Amino acid sequence: MKRILNTVLTLVVGWNASAQSELTTFTTASEKVVKQDYDILFTKQLNNNDNIYSINQNGRLKQITDHPRKDSSPMMSPDGKYMVFTSERKGWWKIWLMNLETQTFKQLTDANSAEYSPSWSPDGKRIVFVSSRNGGSEIFTMTSEGNDIQQISNGGNNTMPTWASDNRIYYSSKVSSAYQIYSMKPNGSDSKQLSSGKGDKLMPQLAPNKSEILYYGNQEGNMEIYKMNISTGRTSRLTNDSLMDIRPRWSPDSNLIVFERGNKRNNQQIYLMNADGSNQKPLTRSGYNYAPSFAFRKD
């Protein structure tokens, strides 16, 4: 029977009672969305400090990291045993690894530049990330232990990579004045431009069922969330709000999308919606919350 990995529920370093009051109490009308098997990892800013939390289907908040320097952008490994994230524990943003079973930490990168946007390979053996260690914003890969670091892009304006289930890396690259969607093989070869037109198209991700690419962009003015059909190339807009809708992530079964909605100042909330954009529901109600991702389900 399928169940969420219990590790992320038991590894907590503390329960934040004040934050609990911020969470949504879901009603019967929203049960279609919240009755799912996934926890959601995200970053929460309290007292000008960022730490990583999880929220479950009942709106229960648990703290995962507790450090005086900022931790952000968590991504769980496909086997559910590790969490990669960015942190300022030692210098500017670097990539770190947390063993969820032993609750131990390891720093994976240590360049002079900021390094961020980590994403796991499907087999969990390598991690893709962004760094400007060699000048410009470029995409790199490394082992899950932080070894064998390889630069796989070349152009100086490449960002927000995700390693997809088709074993290609999807990313945004600046073409003229706008970021477009690209994909390439993990060694950097066979780069293909997948989008065109006005506006930035950011953080592209192939759906786990390989039918669509999820991204956010400002092609119609405000930052909203879109999908692009792989077969037809046709795009569909999933959100339409006066606030910015950004940084969406697929659920492992391709049925749900988690994202941020807010002003990136004092009101930034985590939302959940169906894959067609329906039934948009907030998981948090106040404060600054960002960089959500789904925890993986275990059999």
Side-chain angles (χ1 to χ4, degrees), residues 38 124 143 171:
Y38 309 111
T143 69
Y171 62 104

Side-chain angles (χ1 to χ4, degrees), residues 79-97:
D79 63 7
K81 294 181 179 180
Y82 300 93
M83 181 181 71
V84 68
F85 63 102
T86 58
S87 181
E88 293 190 338
R89 294 176 180 223
K90 292 184 179 180
W92 204 7
W93 292 112
K94 299 293 178 287
I95 311 296
W96 284 70
L97 186 75

